[in-house]
Amino acid sequence: MANVEVSLKETMTSIEGALGVALVDYSSGMALGTLGGGKELDLSVAAAGNTDVIRAKVRTMEMLGMQDEIEDLLITLGTQYHLIRLLKGRGSNGLFLYVVLDKANSNLAMARHQLKRIEANLEV
């Protein structure tokens, strides 16, 4: 089992094109840990904003009466992919991993696969 710091480092090193990663509590919008980012990518601001995205999708699913769960959400920008993966493991209810990828230097399918593997090993 990997702790938060190890998992964030693994995300940045094992997912090609990763620009930044955050572990976020979507009940509060607070980032519990971040790595990468920078002046152009404030991961704390992004964590709070993407919390609203998760909440909106959950509300929509409830209004539609959907009895399913969100695996991940993808936001595609001109030069980036923003991947949000809700965590399902022990003690991780209400958390998500948020990863920003350089669109030109990443493989989205491999990134999703790697993120699922990292989630499975993450111990919060």
Side-chain angles (χ1 to χ4, degrees), residues 73-116:
L73 292 134
L74 171 65
I75 300 167
T76 305
L77 304 178
T79 60
Q80 297 175 343
Y81 293 122
H82 291 225
L83 187 56
I84 302 167
R85 180 164 184 91
L86 276 72
L87 304 185
K88 309 224 182 343
R90 311 152 300 283
S92 61
N93 196 21
L95 301 179
F96 66 88
L97 279 168
Y98 168 66
V99 182
V100 178
L101 304 170
D102 178 351
K103 195 173 175 181
N105 297 312
S106 62
N107 178 320
L108 185 56
M110 285 303 297
R112 290 181 74 220
H113 176 74
Q114 289 287 75
L115 201 53
K116 186 175 183 178

Side-chain angles (χ1 to χ4, degrees), residues 6-19 21 35 99 101 105-107 109-119 121:
V6 169
S7 295
L8 296 177
K9 285 179 182 175
E10 184 176 0
T11 300
M12 290 298 291
T13 58
S14 70
I15 298 179
E16 191 173 340
L19 301 173
V21 60
L35 192 59
V99 182
L101 304 170
N105 297 312
S106 62
N107 178 320
M110 285 303 297
R112 290 181 74 220
H113 176 74
Q114 289 287 75
L115 201 53
K116 186 175 183 178
R117 183 187 56 75
I118 291 166
E119 174 199 4
N121 292 323

Side-chain angles (χ1 to χ4, degrees), residues 16-63:
E16 191 173 340
L19 301 173
V21 60
L23 177 66
V24 184
D25 176 349
Y26 71 81
S27 60
S28 68
M30 298 294 293
L32 304 178
T34 64
L35 192 59
K39 191 175 83 171
E40 300 292 317
L41 178 61
D42 185 329
L43 290 169
S44 295
V45 172
N50 283 299
T51 296
D52 292 336
V53 172
I54 297 291
R55 290 177 183 159
K57 186 60 185 171
V58 168
R59 275 193 314 273
T60 301
M61 289 174 62
E62 288 171 355
M63 289 187 303

